[in-house]
Amino acid sequence: MVHRSFFFGPMDVSTLWKLVPRHIRKYSTFDLLTACLWRCRTIAIQADPEEEVRVICIVNARSRFNPPLPRGYYGNAIAYPVVATQAGELCRNPLGYSLELVKQAKSVVTEEYMKSVADLMVIRGRPKFTLFRSFLVSDATRTGLGDVDFGWGKPVYGGPALGVVASFLIPYKNKKGEVGIVVPIRLPAQAMEIFVRELQAMLQGKPSERKPVFKSSL
């Protein structure tokens, strides 16, 4: 397995937005980057075209309750909504297709949904979700880890360490002083090469139109 981190500055995000229709540009940067990374990752792992692939978004549900949970509540209030599609559909379609699916996954999280999840955990004994053919991602851009000061200045980095199963969107300032988002990705070496190639093509505004996909065991 190879671990790499990818930085997205304002120009990168702007380039990606140009790859989607204007009527869905109202979505968030998290939605856009997740859709982009999910598509590139699916191409990279070379799944069978008819195989089901999933994206799982870790969603903060504190504001989804009526009334919302009180400010300062630090108990568990997250959901793991998922949306699935065939690998071939995800790879062949333009970025807007995966963007709509990411938005669809997040939109199901309501107060009723959270209560249903709580009931499921009681009835089924906290069943585990599958990570096979799944891209698990979380938005950590508003956690405030980059502002924590223990007396010797702000941290250079605030986010997950190596070896995590999920990818996080983390606020970061690169060596040029450019403020953006960094995302850690972990893949087998060969898949990482394909992932980098596909991502670079998208960041140049030239995503491949057709993607060969083959069976693999990841």
Side-chain angles (χ1 to χ4, degrees), residues 6 22 25 32 76 85 91 95 97 135 143 181 205 208:
F6 299 88
R22 288 186 177 275
R25 293 185 187 180
L32 177 69
N76 253 343
T85 186
C91 296
L95 182 58
Y97 176 80
F135 178 47
T143 58
I181 295 172
S208 303

Side-chain angles (χ1 to χ4, degrees), residues 46-69:
Q46 299 179 314
D48 185 277
E50 296 183 359
E51 194 166 12
E52 184 179 84
V53 292
R54 295 166 291 274
V55 65
I56 306 172
C57 302
I58 302 176
V59 175
N60 179 1
R62 287 167 173 78
S63 64
R64 309 294 176 100
F65 288 86
N66 185 21
L69 295 179

Side-chain angles (χ1 to χ4, degrees), residues 196-212:
V196 171
R197 183 170 66 243
E198 293 296 330
L199 180 59
Q200 288 177 344
M202 296 191 77
L203 292 175
Q204 292 171 2
K206 302 175 182 179
S208 303
E209 294 181 359
R210 298 186 65 180
K211 309 293 188 301

